[in-house]
Amino acid sequence: MTTEKLTESIELEDYCLLKGYSIVYNRWVDAVVLSRDGMDYKFKDEVSDENVLEAVKEIPMDDPLADMLEEVEYPEDEIQ
């Protein structure tokens, strides 16, 4: 599975809507970025696309992605 397919996943999109995340691909950090409450997060290096989809496939009540995310550190030269 490619990152493009992950960002286009209906299951992940539904999950993000229900949990209050917005999701985009950010070229500055070369990663899928989930944003919520003014904070940006990306998936930890050890997390595969398959892990993400498995965690959200049945729209769980809790937030299983929280343990898979880390705060994004943007390059200093990026304009925000």
Side-chain angles (χ1 to χ4, degrees), residues 6-37:
L6 182 61
T7 58
E8 294 174 354
S9 163
I10 298 295
E11 293 87 358
L12 185 56
E13 182 179 338
D14 289 348
Y15 177 86
C16 288
L17 286 171
L18 288 172
K19 300 298 180 182
Y21 289 105
S22 62
I23 182 171
V24 298
Y25 178 80
N26 186 297
R27 66 186 176 100
W28 292 105
V29 293
D30 191 27
V32 173
V33 173
L34 281 72
S35 300
R36 182 169 69 176
D37 300 329

Side-chain angles (χ1 to χ4, degrees), residues 10-70:
I10 298 295
E11 293 87 358
L12 185 56
E13 182 179 338
D14 289 348
Y15 177 86
C16 288
L17 286 171
L18 288 172
K19 300 298 180 182
Y21 289 105
S22 62
I23 182 171
V24 298
Y25 178 80
N26 186 297
R27 66 186 176 100
W28 292 105
V29 293
D30 191 27
V32 173
V33 173
L34 281 72
S35 300
R36 182 169 69 176
D37 300 329
M39 300 295 294
D40 292 342
Y41 303 94
K42 66 178 182 171
F43 293 107
K44 296 176 181 176
D45 290 338
E46 65 270 12
V47 175
S48 71
D49 295 347
E50 289 77 17
N51 294 138
V52 172
L53 292 180
E54 181 68 26
V56 300
K57 73 178 182 179
E58 295 180 16
I59 309 295
M61 294 304 293
D62 59 347
D63 190 0
L65 292 187
D67 292 334
M68 296 182 188
L69 298 171
E70 62 186 7

